[in-house]
Amino acid sequence: MKKLLMLAAMLGCLWSIVPVQAQQVTPDAAGYIVKVGDTAPDFEMTLTDGQKVKLSDLRGKVVMLQFTASWCGVCRKEMPFIEKDIWQKHKDNASFALYGIDRDEPLARVKAFAKQTKVTYPLGLDPGADIFAKYAEREAGITRNVLIDKDGKIVLMTRLYNEEEFASLCKKIDELLAR
């Protein structure tokens, strides 16, 4: 009996140090699994020019991530506004970074997409939508934008495209860069 109690005590101690599995995150109405105030999940991606970018290496900059794909009509509508009202305005600011993250498409298609939409901001590849899945439900829709402050915290998230929400995104970028 003593041995049994001793074994139970040891197992109890062992059980208390086994890491608990990560809790399932309930997505919000837009399908996001992250929220404003969270540290942006880190990732590394390859851009269409072959350069690698790691989000955590961009600390100290205001970063905008645009999740997109060539088959997304709303993305195609939004991208010229991102190009004109955000990228052209801030591309020379060393404290700003903007990356389009193309969801699960091959390099040739992403390059053609950039050419068709006439965007000059950098586009990255997201094979299997693994980067996307760090921010939203893997099967959730796009277009969506995530704005990250200089400390790596999410400060604004958008979904789809509407003029008011886009204007608030532009305003927030200006505010963060003025600090």
Side-chain angles (χ1 to χ4, degrees), residues 7-21:
L7 181 62
M10 286 174 50
L11 285 174
C13 290
L14 185 60
W15 182 254
S16 68
I17 61 171
V18 173
V20 178
Q21 269 191 331

Side-chain angles (χ1 to χ4, degrees), residues 88-158:
Q88 290 303 318
K89 182 176 180 180
H90 300 295
K91 69 180 181 178
D92 295 325
N93 187 332
S95 295
F96 181 72
L98 165 61
Y99 294 99
I101 302 174
D102 190 279
R103 181 179 170 153
D104 201 23
E105 295 187 297
L107 177 61
R109 186 170 299 145
V110 178
K111 284 183 170 183
F113 179 39
K115 192 172 186 178
Q116 291 165 0
T117 56
K118 298 181 170 96
V119 299
T120 61
Y121 56 86
L123 294 177
L125 305 175
D126 186 11
D130 292 337
I131 298 169
F132 181 81
K134 292 175 178 278
Y135 289 83
E137 287 182 297
R138 190 175 296 275
E139 300 306 319
I142 50 177
T143 188
R144 57 183 71 230
N145 301 300
V146 177
L147 186 60
I148 303 163
D149 70 12
K150 293 176 182 180
D151 297 321
K153 300 284 187 198
I154 297 170
V155 293
L156 184 72
M157 299 183 300
T158 67

Side-chain angles (χ1 to χ4, degrees), residues 1-140:
M1 183 69 157
K2 259 185 169 179
K3 287 182 181 178
L4 191 56
L5 286 173
M6 183 85 132
L7 181 62
M10 286 174 50
L11 285 174
C13 290
L14 185 60
W15 182 254
S16 68
I17 61 171
V18 173
V20 178
Q21 269 191 331
Q23 285 184 307
Q24 289 287 15
V25 178
T26 304
D28 68 11
Y32 277 108
I33 58 172
V34 294
K35 61 186 181 307
V36 170
D38 287 354
T39 297
D42 199 16
F43 60 86
E44 184 174 279
M45 70 177 162
T46 303
L47 302 180
T48 56
D49 66 2
Q51 179 185 348
K52 295 220 184 272
V53 172
K54 187 171 183 178
L55 182 64
S56 57
D57 291 343
L58 300 173
R59 288 278 164 83
K61 295 180 184 248
V62 173
V63 179
M64 179 179 154
L65 306 175
Q66 182 226 3
F67 291 97
T68 189
S70 66
W71 46 262
C72 171
V74 180
C75 301
R76 288 177 176 273
K77 178 181 177 182
E78 179 184 52
M79 289 172 83
F81 293 104
I82 293 173
E83 173 72 22
K84 179 175 69 76
D85 298 331
I86 297 174
W87 181 241
Q88 290 303 318
K89 182 176 180 180
H90 300 295
K91 69 180 181 178
D92 295 325
N93 187 332
S95 295
F96 181 72
L98 165 61
Y99 294 99
I101 302 174
D102 190 279
R103 181 179 170 153
D104 201 23
E105 295 187 297
L107 177 61
R109 186 170 299 145
V110 178
K111 284 183 170 183
F113 179 39
K115 192 172 186 178
Q116 291 165 0
T117 56
K118 298 181 170 96
V119 299
T120 61
Y121 56 86
L123 294 177
L125 305 175
D126 186 11
D130 292 337
I131 298 169
F132 181 81
K134 292 175 178 278
Y135 289 83
E137 287 182 297
R138 190 175 296 275
E139 300 306 319

